[in-house]
């Protein structure tokens, strides 16, 4: 039995993970879960999977423990940020699914890394923020880091099994082709983008996801965060990554080799595939995903991203190149701007403006100290809040 902790069990990735586990219940046990909002859903999860631990916010802990008892669950509640770190590092847990959204996932994910767990990484923001620090900790603590972001999982599947042991040049790898759907506003002009609403932005054409990543997909910041994520996961530079818009989301990314071969991973757009792949790796388990019908999916098309209408991709690339704390500042500003857009406080096109102002007004420092990084995250947060106040 492999014992699993799911950080962010009530979210979209959490939901897909629980579905795959339920289909393979003879091999996997849900040992611990966390939830932040929608705790009635977390209660249902506890009733169904009977985990040993559940982490909830401090102010909900007593009430939630009572509800568990009333429902006949023996699940023990752990509270707040500390509770999340307990889930991620408790010795009984073999594998941690990092599926909290945003910077809130950094400390619990790092706790799993420092406990040397097998980590299924969905929470790209954690890696974007802390880059070198995160990857160094993976090495030091011999954690096993497996990407479940669909693009990175696809690249992982198209690389040689021991890719991390030698340089890409030695392995004849020329570049990574990171695919993007283009989001709901692909082909829209800058002018048309001025008036888009949160409801339009979260209606992704191919994937059903949480609100924040849906807006990130619409601005192309998701691809920017993924570019940075790929640089750290695969130890490459942005010039070795080409972003290709592929609106059908059937190819999930590719690796291009020196001899002209391009290896791709294909499948229906369903996160249960990369989750099942990483849960069982190097084995394969059923994921409940329909087999790909190539005849029905018809044409697969490709185009260049429109970086003028969607400046977030370029901002992310520049932040990675600036290095140090820049990606953490980018991430913090983006989180604040996306939340403000979802609450109708700023326009869609003001999201990149807020991010670029935060970066322009900040000095970039080395990012080798976690405390300092967290304080910079908070500072950028506050700066983004005040920029938004001045805008309106
Ligand atoms: P979601 O909004 O559906 O779920 C987020 C989860 O995080 C929920 O369980 C929520 O309770 C928890 N959470 C939110 N704020 C928290 C806080 N402050 N403290 C503790 N927990 C908190 O998001 P999602 O779509 O499942 O995405 C989760 C992560 O996976 C994101 O980083 C996203 O970029 C990444 N990801 C998602 C998808 C997808 O298809 N949904 C694909 C690739 C990567
Ligand atoms: Mg992705």
């Amino acid at each position: 039995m492999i014992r699993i902790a799911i950080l962010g069990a009530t979210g979209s990735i959490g939901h897909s993970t629980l579905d795959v586990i339920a289909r393979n219940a003879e091999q996997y046990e849900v040992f611990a879960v966390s939830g932040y909002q929608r705790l009635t859903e977390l209660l249902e999860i506890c009733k169904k999977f009977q985990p040993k631990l559940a982490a909830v916010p401090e102010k909900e802990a007593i009430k939630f423990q009572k509800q568990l008892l009333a429902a006949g669950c023996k699940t023990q509640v752990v509270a707040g940020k500390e509770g999340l770190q307990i889930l991620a590092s408790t010795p009984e847990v073999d594998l941690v699914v990092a599926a909290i959204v945003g910077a809130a996932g950094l400390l619990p994910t790092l706790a799993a890394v420092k406990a040397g767990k097998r980590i299924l990484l969905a929470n790209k923001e954690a890696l974007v923020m802390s880059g070198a620090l995160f990857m160094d900790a993976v090495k030091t603590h011999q954690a096993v880091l497996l990407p479940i972001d669909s693009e990175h999982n696809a690249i992982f599947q198209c690389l040689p099994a021991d890719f991390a042991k030698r340089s890409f040049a030695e392995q004849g790898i020329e570049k990574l082709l990171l695919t993007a759907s283009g989001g709901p506003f692909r082909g829209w002009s800058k002018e048309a983008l001025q008036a888009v609403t949160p409801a339009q932005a979260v209606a992704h054409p191919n994937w059903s996801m949480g609100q924040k990543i849906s807006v990130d997909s619409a601005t192309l910041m998701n691809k920017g965060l993924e570019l940075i994520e790929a640089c750290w996961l695969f130890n490459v530079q942005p010039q070795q990554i080409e972003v290709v818009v592929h609106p059908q989301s059937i190819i999930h990314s590719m690796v291009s080799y020196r001899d002209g071969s391009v290896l791709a991973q294909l499948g229906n757009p369903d996160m249960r595939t990369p989750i099942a792949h990483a849960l069982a790796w190097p084995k394969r388990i059923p994921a409940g995903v329909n087999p790909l019908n190539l005849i029905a999916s018809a044409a697969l098309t490709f185009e260049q991203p429109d970086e003028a209408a969607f400046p977030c991709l370029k901002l992310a690339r520049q932040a990675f190149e600036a290095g140090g704390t820049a990606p953490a500042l980018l991430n913090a500003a983006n989180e604040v701007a996306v939340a403000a857009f979802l609450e109708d406080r700023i326009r869609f096109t003001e999201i990149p403006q807020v991010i670029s102002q935060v970066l322009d007004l900040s000095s970039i420092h080395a990012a080798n100290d976690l405390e300092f990084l967290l304080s910079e995250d908070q500072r950028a947060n506050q700066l983004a809040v005040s920029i938004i106040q001045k805008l309106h």
Side-chain angles (χ1 to χ4, degrees):
M1 261 318 200
I2 294 175
R3 281 168 296 195
I4 300 176
I6 307 172
L7 303 168
T10 53
S12 164
I13 292 289
H15 182 82
S16 295
T17 304
L18 288 166
D19 184 278
V20 177
I21 293 174
R23 289 167 195 277
N24 297 277
E26 68 301 337
Q27 293 181 62
Y28 302 100
E29 176 189 333
V30 179
F31 188 90
V33 291
S34 88
Y36 191 69
Q37 305 106 337
R38 302 208 297 258
L39 294 190
T40 41
E41 218 171 294
L42 191 68
L43 185 64
E44 290 309 313
I45 291 170
C46 291
K47 283 196 218 162
K48 180 164 176 200
F49 291 91
Q50 300 287 334
K52 301 285 180 302
L53 297 174
V56 298
E58 204 94 51
K59 60 181 193 314
E60 309 282 354
I62 293 172
K63 185 174 159 207
F64 194 68
Q65 185 72 77
K66 282 187 187 152
Q67 288 174 335
L68 282 166
L69 281 172
C73 286
K74 293 198 188 100
T75 308
Q76 190 197 330
V77 171
V78 289
K81 292 183 180 162
E82 249 171 59
L84 288 172
Q85 297 197 37
I86 292 170
L87 284 201
S89 58
T90 195
E92 292 99 317
V93 162
D94 305 302
L95 184 157
V96 175
V97 181
I100 290 174
V101 59
L106 176 60
L107 289 179
T109 306
L110 271 181
V113 170
K114 288 176 185 162
K117 304 292 187 196
R118 178 191 278 222
I119 296 141
L120 272 53
L121 183 73
N123 180 207
K124 64 194 89 185
E125 297 92 345
L127 181 56
V128 166
M129 286 173 74
S130 63
L133 218 140
F134 191 108
M135 296 309 288
D136 285 349
V138 168
K139 226 184 235 167
T140 308
H141 300 279
Q142 296 179 335
V144 177
L145 185 63
L146 297 171
I148 55 176
D149 208 345
S150 56
E151 296 78 1
H152 306 74
N153 184 269
I155 291 168
F156 184 85
Q157 294 197 47
C158 297
L159 285 170
D162 58 350
F163 73 87
K165 293 198 182 127
R166 289 168 297 144
S167 75
F168 271 23
E170 279 175 277
Q171 300 173 81
I173 300 163
E174 303 252 275
K175 67 181 173 184
L176 307 180
L177 299 167
L178 189 67
T179 57
S181 70
F185 308 130
R186 182 178 58 89
W188 288 39
S189 70
K190 242 182 166 160
E191 295 64 45
L193 289 173
Q194 298 269 354
V196 306
T197 65
Q200 286 174 304
V202 299
H204 196 279
N206 306 337
W207 299 93
S208 143
M209 311 181 284
Q211 290 211 314
K212 191 246 173 193
I213 183 176
S214 297
V215 176
D216 285 347
S217 300
T219 60
L220 287 201
M221 181 53 95
N222 185 49
K223 216 45 57 181
L225 297 175
E226 291 187 354
L227 180 102
I228 299 175
E229 182 186 13
C231 286
W232 289 116
L233 285 173
F234 304 117
N235 193 21
V236 295
Q237 293 301 314
Q239 312 83 269
Q240 292 168 279
I241 302 178
E242 183 182 340
V243 175
V244 183
V245 174
H246 164 48
Q248 296 82 17
S249 300
I250 295 293
I251 293 179
H252 300 302
S253 279
M254 299 169 257
V255 177
S256 174
Y257 288 85
R258 184 182 293 146
D259 59 7
S261 300
V262 176
L263 301 192
Q265 187 260 357
L266 287 74
N268 286 318
D270 187 322
M271 289 307 292
R272 290 177 299 177
T273 294
I275 292 167
H277 169 266
L279 273 176
W281 178 81
K283 297 194 184 122
R284 298 272 177 175
I285 53 171
V289 177
N290 289 331
L292 178 62
N293 181 339
L294 275 174
I295 308 289
S297 43
L300 303 183
T301 61
F302 305 92
E303 56 194 70
Q304 257 184 350
D306 180 352
E307 294 198 13
F310 300 94
C312 284
L313 179 55
K314 189 181 279 172
L315 287 172
R317 192 182 292 118
Q318 286 168 345
F320 182 82
E321 277 159 359
T325 49
L329 304 176
L330 170 100
N331 179 67
N334 182 56
E335 285 192 26
V336 174
V338 168
F341 168 69
L342 283 168
E343 289 166 10
D344 251 329
R345 289 188 283 116
I346 61 171
R347 287 173 190 276
F348 183 78
T349 43
E350 285 170 333
I351 297 173
Q353 290 174 22
V354 172
I355 298 165
S356 118
Q357 282 191 41
V358 166
L359 285 164
D360 288 347
L361 293 170
S362 302
S363 27
I364 311 299
H365 302 281
N368 41 25
D369 179 79
L370 185 60
E371 290 301 312
F372 178 67
L373 197 66
L374 292 171
S375 70
E376 283 296 284
D377 170 63
Q378 282 312 303
R379 199 190 49 75
N381 232 287
Q382 287 312 310
L383 183 55
V385 168
S386 68
I387 289 169
I388 288 169
Q389 277 165 355
K390 277 182 210 144
L391 266 174
H392 292 274

